mmCIF file of all heavy atoms in Angstrom:
data_model
loop_
_atom_site.group_PDB
_atom_site.id
_atom_site.type_symbol
_atom_site.label_atom_id
_atom_site.label_comp_id
_atom_site.label_asym_id
_atom_site.label_seq_id
_atom_site.Cartn_x
_atom_site.Cartn_y
_atom_site.Cartn_z
ATOM 1 N N HIS A 172 14.029 51.675 -49.460
ATOM 2 C CA HIS A 172 15.036 51.001 -48.638
ATOM 3 C C HIS A 172 15.222 49.537 -49.053
ATOM 4 O O HIS A 172 15.705 48.721 -48.259
ATOM 5 C CB HIS A 172 14.647 51.077 -47.162
ATOM 6 C CG HIS A 172 14.534 52.475 -46.636
ATOM 7 N ND1 HIS A 172 15.622 53.219 -46.242
ATOM 8 C CD2 HIS A 172 13.441 53.283 -46.488
ATOM 9 C CE1 HIS A 172 15.225 54.414 -45.836
ATOM 10 N NE2 HIS A 172 13.902 54.480 -45.976
ATOM 11 N N GLY A 173 14.820 49.214 -50.264
ATOM 12 C CA GLY A 173 15.055 47.872 -50.787
ATOM 13 C C GLY A 173 14.036 46.830 -50.407
ATOM 14 O O GLY A 173 14.266 45.635 -50.636
ATOM 15 N N VAL A 174 12.895 47.232 -49.846
ATOM 16 C CA VAL A 174 11.839 46.271 -49.508
ATOM 17 C C VAL A 174 10.997 46.026 -50.760
ATOM 18 O O VAL A 174 10.401 46.955 -51.305
ATOM 19 C CB VAL A 174 10.946 46.796 -48.374
ATOM 20 C CG1 VAL A 174 9.859 45.778 -48.049
ATOM 21 C CG2 VAL A 174 11.781 47.089 -47.137
ATOM 22 N N GLU A 175 10.933 44.773 -51.197
ATOM 23 C CA GLU A 175 10.220 44.458 -52.437
ATOM 24 C C GLU A 175 8.710 44.534 -52.238
ATOM 25 O O GLU A 175 8.163 44.005 -51.272
ATOM 26 C CB GLU A 175 10.598 43.061 -52.928
ATOM 27 C CG GLU A 175 9.990 42.737 -54.288
ATOM 28 C CD GLU A 175 10.378 41.366 -54.794
ATOM 29 O OE1 GLU A 175 10.161 40.382 -54.051
ATOM 30 O OE2 GLU A 175 10.902 41.269 -55.913
ATOM 31 N N LEU A 176 8.050 45.181 -53.176
ATOM 32 C CA LEU A 176 6.595 45.300 -53.183
ATOM 33 C C LEU A 176 6.030 44.438 -54.304
ATOM 34 O O LEU A 176 6.629 44.336 -55.378
ATOM 35 C CB LEU A 176 6.173 46.753 -53.420
ATOM 36 C CG LEU A 176 6.802 47.828 -52.538
ATOM 37 C CD1 LEU A 176 6.402 49.219 -53.044
ATOM 38 C CD2 LEU A 176 6.384 47.633 -51.093
ATOM 39 N N ASP A 177 4.870 43.853 -54.054
ATOM 40 C CA ASP A 177 4.200 43.163 -55.147
ATOM 41 C C ASP A 177 3.602 44.173 -56.125
ATOM 42 O O ASP A 177 3.523 43.907 -57.320
ATOM 43 C CB ASP A 177 3.115 42.236 -54.593
ATOM 44 C CG ASP A 177 3.722 41.079 -53.827
ATOM 45 O OD1 ASP A 177 4.299 40.187 -54.475
ATOM 46 O OD2 ASP A 177 3.660 41.087 -52.587
ATOM 47 N N ALA A 178 3.182 45.322 -55.612
ATOM 48 C CA ALA A 178 2.654 46.368 -56.494
ATOM 49 C C ALA A 178 2.753 47.718 -55.800
ATOM 50 O O ALA A 178 2.636 47.828 -54.579
ATOM 51 C CB ALA A 178 1.198 46.082 -56.874
ATOM 52 N N LEU A 179 2.977 48.736 -56.614
ATOM 53 C CA LEU A 179 2.909 50.132 -56.192
ATOM 54 C C LEU A 179 1.763 50.750 -56.970
ATOM 55 O O LEU A 179 1.732 50.677 -58.202
ATOM 56 C CB LEU A 179 4.216 50.850 -56.506
ATOM 57 C CG LEU A 179 4.329 52.308 -56.060
ATOM 58 C CD1 LEU A 179 4.424 52.404 -54.543
ATOM 59 C CD2 LEU A 179 5.549 52.976 -56.706
ATOM 60 N N VAL A 180 0.794 51.354 -56.269
ATOM 61 C CA VAL A 180 -0.392 51.909 -56.917
ATOM 62 C C VAL A 180 -0.428 53.414 -56.672
ATOM 63 O O VAL A 180 -0.352 53.865 -55.515
ATOM 64 C CB VAL A 180 -1.687 51.258 -56.381
ATOM 65 C CG1 VAL A 180 -2.909 51.894 -57.031
ATOM 66 C CG2 VAL A 180 -1.668 49.753 -56.639
ATOM 67 N N LEU A 181 -0.559 54.176 -57.745
ATOM 68 C CA LEU A 181 -0.585 55.627 -57.628
ATOM 69 C C LEU A 181 -1.463 56.232 -58.707
ATOM 70 O O LEU A 181 -1.814 55.579 -59.695
ATOM 71 C CB LEU A 181 0.823 56.211 -57.732
ATOM 72 C CG LEU A 181 1.574 56.009 -59.057
ATOM 73 C CD1 LEU A 181 2.496 57.194 -59.319
ATOM 74 C CD2 LEU A 181 2.414 54.711 -59.003
ATOM 75 N N SER A 182 -1.813 57.508 -58.510
ATOM 76 C CA SER A 182 -2.607 58.228 -59.497
ATOM 77 C C SER A 182 -1.687 58.831 -60.549
ATOM 78 O O SER A 182 -0.669 59.454 -60.217
ATOM 79 C CB SER A 182 -3.411 59.340 -58.818
ATOM 80 O OG SER A 182 -3.971 60.210 -59.783
ATOM 81 N N ALA A 183 -2.060 58.678 -61.812
ATOM 82 C CA ALA A 183 -1.286 59.279 -62.897
ATOM 83 C C ALA A 183 -1.384 60.794 -62.882
ATOM 84 O O ALA A 183 -0.561 61.480 -63.500
ATOM 85 C CB ALA A 183 -1.770 58.740 -64.242
ATOM 86 N N HIS A 184 -2.387 61.339 -62.176
ATOM 87 C CA HIS A 184 -2.635 62.779 -62.195
ATOM 88 C C HIS A 184 -2.225 63.469 -60.893
ATOM 89 O O HIS A 184 -2.436 64.673 -60.758
ATOM 90 C CB HIS A 184 -4.120 63.043 -62.454
ATOM 91 C CG HIS A 184 -4.646 62.366 -63.671
ATOM 92 N ND1 HIS A 184 -4.101 62.539 -64.930
ATOM 93 C CD2 HIS A 184 -5.664 61.468 -63.832
ATOM 94 C CE1 HIS A 184 -4.765 61.807 -65.804
ATOM 95 N NE2 HIS A 184 -5.705 61.145 -65.163
ATOM 96 N N ASP A 185 -1.676 62.735 -59.942
ATOM 97 C CA ASP A 185 -1.325 63.305 -58.648
ATOM 98 C C ASP A 185 0.179 63.610 -58.627
ATOM 99 O O ASP A 185 1.006 62.699 -58.620
ATOM 100 C CB ASP A 185 -1.687 62.319 -57.528
ATOM 101 C CG ASP A 185 -1.543 62.912 -56.142
ATOM 102 O OD1 ASP A 185 -0.474 63.480 -55.849
ATOM 103 O OD2 ASP A 185 -2.503 62.793 -55.350
ATOM 104 N N GLU A 186 0.527 64.900 -58.606
ATOM 105 C CA GLU A 186 1.929 65.288 -58.671
ATOM 106 C C GLU A 186 2.716 64.797 -57.462
ATOM 107 O O GLU A 186 3.884 64.408 -57.594
ATOM 108 C CB GLU A 186 2.038 66.810 -58.776
ATOM 109 C CG GLU A 186 1.498 67.384 -60.078
ATOM 110 C CD GLU A 186 1.654 68.894 -60.149
ATOM 111 O OE1 GLU A 186 2.230 69.482 -59.200
ATOM 112 O OE2 GLU A 186 1.219 69.482 -61.154
ATOM 113 N N ILE A 187 2.091 64.796 -56.290
ATOM 114 C CA ILE A 187 2.791 64.343 -55.089
ATOM 115 C C ILE A 187 3.116 62.859 -55.202
ATOM 116 O O ILE A 187 4.252 62.424 -54.946
ATOM 117 C CB ILE A 187 1.948 64.625 -53.829
ATOM 118 C CG1 ILE A 187 1.766 66.133 -53.627
ATOM 119 C CG2 ILE A 187 2.609 63.992 -52.596
ATOM 120 C CD1 ILE A 187 0.852 66.481 -52.481
ATOM 121 N N GLU A 188 2.130 62.052 -55.599
ATOM 122 C CA GLU A 188 2.365 60.616 -55.719
ATOM 123 C C GLU A 188 3.386 60.310 -56.815
ATOM 124 O O GLU A 188 4.232 59.419 -56.655
ATOM 125 C CB GLU A 188 1.051 59.888 -55.983
ATOM 126 C CG GLU A 188 0.109 59.935 -54.803
ATOM 127 C CD GLU A 188 -1.093 59.043 -54.938
ATOM 128 O OE1 GLU A 188 -1.293 58.452 -56.028
ATOM 129 O OE2 GLU A 188 -1.848 58.907 -53.965
ATOM 130 N N GLN A 189 3.326 61.030 -57.927
ATOM 131 C CA GLN A 189 4.299 60.815 -58.990
ATOM 132 C C GLN A 189 5.712 61.129 -58.504
ATOM 133 O O GLN A 189 6.660 60.381 -58.781
ATOM 134 C CB GLN A 189 3.949 61.690 -60.199
ATOM 135 C CG GLN A 189 2.724 61.243 -60.966
ATOM 136 C CD GLN A 189 2.958 59.962 -61.744
ATOM 137 O OE1 GLN A 189 4.068 59.687 -62.205
ATOM 138 N NE2 GLN A 189 1.917 59.168 -61.904
ATOM 139 N N ARG A 190 5.859 62.209 -57.767
ATOM 140 C CA ARG A 190 7.179 62.598 -57.264
ATOM 141 C C ARG A 190 7.702 61.583 -56.260
ATOM 142 O O ARG A 190 8.869 61.182 -56.312
ATOM 143 C CB ARG A 190 7.100 63.985 -56.635
ATOM 144 C CG ARG A 190 8.446 64.514 -56.145
ATOM 145 C CD ARG A 190 8.356 65.955 -55.679
ATOM 146 N NE ARG A 190 7.489 66.117 -54.524
ATOM 147 C CZ ARG A 190 6.307 66.722 -54.553
ATOM 148 N NH1 ARG A 190 5.832 67.215 -55.675
ATOM 149 N NH2 ARG A 190 5.577 66.840 -53.452
ATOM 150 N N GLU A 191 6.842 61.148 -55.333
ATOM 151 C CA GLU A 191 7.275 60.192 -54.317
ATOM 152 C C GLU A 191 7.607 58.827 -54.918
ATOM 153 O O GLU A 191 8.436 58.085 -54.397
ATOM 154 C CB GLU A 191 6.194 60.035 -53.243
ATOM 155 C CG GLU A 191 5.903 61.292 -52.439
ATOM 156 C CD GLU A 191 7.044 61.689 -51.526
ATOM 157 O OE1 GLU A 191 7.943 60.857 -51.283
ATOM 158 O OE2 GLU A 191 7.039 62.842 -51.042
ATOM 159 N N ALA A 192 6.944 58.477 -56.027
ATOM 160 C CA ALA A 192 7.145 57.165 -56.647
ATOM 161 C C ALA A 192 8.401 57.101 -57.500
ATOM 162 O O ALA A 192 8.870 56.000 -57.838
ATOM 163 C CB ALA A 192 5.935 56.799 -57.504
ATOM 164 N N ALA A 193 8.964 58.245 -57.839
ATOM 165 C CA ALA A 193 10.049 58.280 -58.816
ATOM 166 C C ALA A 193 11.225 57.386 -58.445
ATOM 167 O O ALA A 193 11.806 56.713 -59.317
ATOM 168 C CB ALA A 193 10.521 59.728 -59.004
ATOM 169 N N ASN A 194 11.570 57.335 -57.175
ATOM 170 C CA ASN A 194 12.771 56.600 -56.760
ATOM 171 C C ASN A 194 12.492 55.196 -56.247
ATOM 172 O O ASN A 194 13.428 54.517 -55.801
ATOM 173 C CB ASN A 194 13.507 57.394 -55.671
ATOM 174 C CG ASN A 194 14.023 58.730 -56.176
ATOM 175 O OD1 ASN A 194 14.461 58.847 -57.316
ATOM 176 N ND2 ASN A 194 13.956 59.746 -55.321
ATOM 177 N N VAL A 195 11.228 54.760 -56.290
ATOM 178 C CA VAL A 195 10.914 53.434 -55.724
ATOM 179 C C VAL A 195 10.251 52.502 -56.732
ATOM 180 O O VAL A 195 9.871 51.385 -56.384
ATOM 181 C CB VAL A 195 10.018 53.563 -54.470
ATOM 182 C CG1 VAL A 195 10.744 54.345 -53.388
ATOM 183 C CG2 VAL A 195 8.699 54.216 -54.796
ATOM 184 N N ARG A 196 10.104 52.936 -57.963
ATOM 185 C CA ARG A 196 9.427 52.102 -58.958
ATOM 186 C C ARG A 196 10.112 50.748 -59.143
ATOM 187 O O ARG A 196 9.442 49.733 -59.365
ATOM 188 C CB ARG A 196 9.343 52.833 -60.300
ATOM 189 C CG ARG A 196 8.372 54.012 -60.291
ATOM 190 C CD ARG A 196 8.445 54.803 -61.599
ATOM 191 N NE ARG A 196 7.469 55.878 -61.609
ATOM 192 C CZ ARG A 196 6.265 55.799 -62.141
ATOM 193 N NH1 ARG A 196 5.884 54.672 -62.745
ATOM 194 N NH2 ARG A 196 5.440 56.818 -62.112
ATOM 195 N N LEU A 197 11.420 50.724 -59.065
ATOM 196 C CA LEU A 197 12.147 49.479 -59.303
ATOM 197 C C LEU A 197 11.991 48.490 -58.153
ATOM 198 O O LEU A 197 12.360 47.319 -58.298
ATOM 199 C CB LEU A 197 13.629 49.773 -59.544
ATOM 200 C CG LEU A 197 13.946 50.560 -60.820
ATOM 201 C CD1 LEU A 197 15.446 50.784 -60.951
ATOM 202 C CD2 LEU A 197 13.407 49.845 -62.060
ATOM 203 N N GLU A 198 11.449 48.933 -57.023
ATOM 204 C CA GLU A 198 11.236 48.024 -55.895
ATOM 205 C C GLU A 198 9.919 47.260 -56.012
ATOM 206 O O GLU A 198 9.651 46.379 -55.198
ATOM 207 C CB GLU A 198 11.272 48.809 -54.577
ATOM 208 C CG GLU A 198 12.632 49.426 -54.293
ATOM 209 C CD GLU A 198 12.670 50.189 -52.988
ATOM 210 O OE1 GLU A 198 11.605 50.319 -52.345
ATOM 211 O OE2 GLU A 198 13.762 50.647 -52.612
ATOM 212 N N ALA A 199 9.098 47.598 -57.002
ATOM 213 C CA ALA A 199 7.790 46.969 -57.162
ATOM 214 C C ALA A 199 7.787 46.038 -58.375
ATOM 215 O O ALA A 199 8.327 46.376 -59.430
ATOM 216 C CB ALA A 199 6.708 48.030 -57.334
ATOM 217 N N ARG A 200 7.163 44.890 -58.221
ATOM 218 C CA ARG A 200 7.043 43.955 -59.343
ATOM 219 C C ARG A 200 6.166 44.531 -60.438
ATOM 220 O O ARG A 200 6.358 44.242 -61.622
ATOM 221 C CB ARG A 200 6.474 42.626 -58.842
ATOM 222 C CG ARG A 200 7.391 41.891 -57.878
ATOM 223 C CD ARG A 200 6.733 40.632 -57.318
ATOM 224 N NE ARG A 200 7.599 39.976 -56.358
ATOM 225 C CZ ARG A 200 7.235 38.947 -55.606
ATOM 226 N NH1 ARG A 200 6.006 38.451 -55.720
ATOM 227 N NH2 ARG A 200 8.080 38.411 -54.745
ATOM 228 N N VAL A 201 5.174 45.320 -60.054
ATOM 229 C CA VAL A 201 4.324 45.988 -61.033
ATOM 230 C C VAL A 201 3.961 47.360 -60.475
ATOM 231 O O VAL A 201 3.727 47.514 -59.273
ATOM 232 C CB VAL A 201 3.041 45.168 -61.348
ATOM 233 C CG1 VAL A 201 2.192 44.963 -60.105
ATOM 234 C CG2 VAL A 201 2.224 45.843 -62.437
ATOM 235 N N VAL A 202 3.960 48.364 -61.352
ATOM 236 C CA VAL A 202 3.559 49.725 -60.993
ATOM 237 C C VAL A 202 2.266 50.034 -61.731
ATOM 238 O O VAL A 202 2.205 49.936 -62.962
ATOM 239 C CB VAL A 202 4.641 50.753 -61.361
ATOM 240 C CG1 VAL A 202 4.154 52.181 -61.045
ATOM 241 C CG2 VAL A 202 5.933 50.458 -60.612
ATOM 242 N N VAL A 203 1.226 50.381 -60.983
ATOM 243 C CA VAL A 203 -0.091 50.674 -61.556
ATOM 244 C C VAL A 203 -0.357 52.161 -61.399
ATOM 245 O O VAL A 203 -0.251 52.708 -60.293
ATOM 246 C CB VAL A 203 -1.195 49.868 -60.845
ATOM 247 C CG1 VAL A 203 -2.560 50.216 -61.422
ATOM 248 C CG2 VAL A 203 -0.918 48.368 -60.957
ATOM 249 N N GLU A 204 -0.708 52.808 -62.509
ATOM 250 C CA GLU A 204 -1.047 54.226 -62.489
ATOM 251 C C GLU A 204 -2.501 54.382 -62.921
ATOM 252 O O GLU A 204 -2.866 54.039 -64.050
ATOM 253 C CB GLU A 204 -0.119 55.018 -63.409
ATOM 254 C CG GLU A 204 1.333 54.957 -62.970
ATOM 255 C CD GLU A 204 2.247 55.807 -63.832
ATOM 256 O OE1 GLU A 204 2.142 57.046 -63.769
ATOM 257 O OE2 GLU A 204 3.056 55.224 -64.579
ATOM 258 N N THR A 205 -3.317 54.878 -62.009
ATOM 259 C CA THR A 205 -4.747 54.988 -62.269
ATOM 260 C C THR A 205 -5.062 56.306 -62.986
ATOM 261 O O THR A 205 -4.428 57.330 -62.721
ATOM 262 C CB THR A 205 -5.551 54.902 -60.967
ATOM 263 O OG1 THR A 205 -5.210 56.018 -60.124
ATOM 264 C CG2 THR A 205 -5.238 53.612 -60.225
ATOM 265 N N GLU A 206 -6.088 56.258 -63.843
ATOM 266 C CA GLU A 206 -6.496 57.444 -64.598
ATOM 267 C C GLU A 206 -8.001 57.658 -64.526
ATOM 268 O O GLU A 206 -8.623 58.166 -65.463
ATOM 269 C CB GLU A 206 -6.046 57.309 -66.063
ATOM 270 C CG GLU A 206 -4.534 57.210 -66.231
ATOM 271 C CD GLU A 206 -4.111 57.000 -67.674
ATOM 272 O OE1 GLU A 206 -4.986 56.968 -68.568
ATOM 273 O OE2 GLU A 206 -2.898 56.857 -67.920
ATOM 274 N N GLY A 207 -8.592 57.267 -63.415
ATOM 275 C CA GLY A 207 -10.017 57.520 -63.197
ATOM 276 C C GLY A 207 -10.895 56.859 -64.235
ATOM 277 O O GLY A 207 -10.802 55.658 -64.491
ATOM 278 N N GLU A 208 -11.750 57.658 -64.861
ATOM 279 C CA GLU A 208 -12.724 57.132 -65.812
ATOM 280 C C GLU A 208 -12.083 56.586 -67.083
ATOM 281 O O GLU A 208 -12.750 55.927 -67.885
ATOM 282 C CB GLU A 208 -13.725 58.221 -66.184
ATOM 283 C CG GLU A 208 -13.114 59.412 -66.891
ATOM 284 C CD GLU A 208 -14.108 60.515 -67.140
ATOM 285 O OE1 GLU A 208 -15.208 60.492 -66.544
ATOM 286 O OE2 GLU A 208 -13.783 61.421 -67.939
ATOM 287 N N ARG A 209 -10.787 56.800 -67.278
ATOM 288 C CA ARG A 209 -10.074 56.265 -68.447
ATOM 289 C C ARG A 209 -9.388 54.935 -68.150
ATOM 290 O O ARG A 209 -8.716 54.371 -69.011
ATOM 291 C CB ARG A 209 -9.047 57.278 -68.950
ATOM 292 C CG ARG A 209 -9.643 58.576 -69.446
ATOM 293 C CD ARG A 209 -8.585 59.497 -70.043
ATOM 294 N NE ARG A 209 -7.932 58.875 -71.187
ATOM 295 C CZ ARG A 209 -6.640 58.545 -71.227
ATOM 296 N NH1 ARG A 209 -5.866 58.721 -70.157
ATOM 297 N NH2 ARG A 209 -6.114 58.005 -72.311
ATOM 298 N N GLY A 210 -9.554 54.416 -66.943
ATOM 299 C CA GLY A 210 -8.881 53.165 -66.592
ATOM 300 C C GLY A 210 -7.508 53.460 -66.039
ATOM 301 O O GLY A 210 -7.367 54.148 -65.034
ATOM 302 N N GLY A 211 -6.470 52.957 -66.713
ATOM 303 C CA GLY A 211 -5.120 53.219 -66.245
ATOM 304 C C GLY A 211 -4.104 52.390 -66.993
ATOM 305 O O GLY A 211 -4.415 51.779 -68.028
ATOM 306 N N ARG A 212 -2.878 52.356 -66.478
ATOM 307 C CA ARG A 212 -1.814 51.637 -67.172
ATOM 308 C C ARG A 212 -0.904 50.934 -66.170
ATOM 309 O O ARG A 212 -0.825 51.306 -65.001
ATOM 310 C CB ARG A 212 -1.006 52.598 -68.043
ATOM 311 C CG ARG A 212 -0.372 53.757 -67.310
ATOM 312 C CD ARG A 212 0.352 54.687 -68.272
ATOM 313 N NE ARG A 212 1.064 55.759 -67.598
ATOM 314 C CZ ARG A 212 0.580 56.969 -67.380
ATOM 315 N NH1 ARG A 212 -0.642 57.276 -67.787
ATOM 316 N NH2 ARG A 212 1.321 57.881 -66.766
#
Side-chain angles (χ1 to χ4, degrees):
H172 300 279
V174 180
E175 186 179 54
L176 309 173
D177 292 288
L179 183 70
V180 178
L181 63 148
S182 168
H184 307 304
D185 188 309
E186 293 181 3
I187 296 175
E188 292 190 353
Q189 288 289 328
R190 183 173 64 250
E191 296 291 344
N194 296 323
V195 298
R196 290 173 177 265
L197 294 180
E198 295 180 355
R200 295 175 182 172
V201 61
V202 177
V203 178
E204 297 183 69
T205 63
E206 298 177 2
E208 63 185 14
R209 297 185 61 245
R212 58 183 185 266

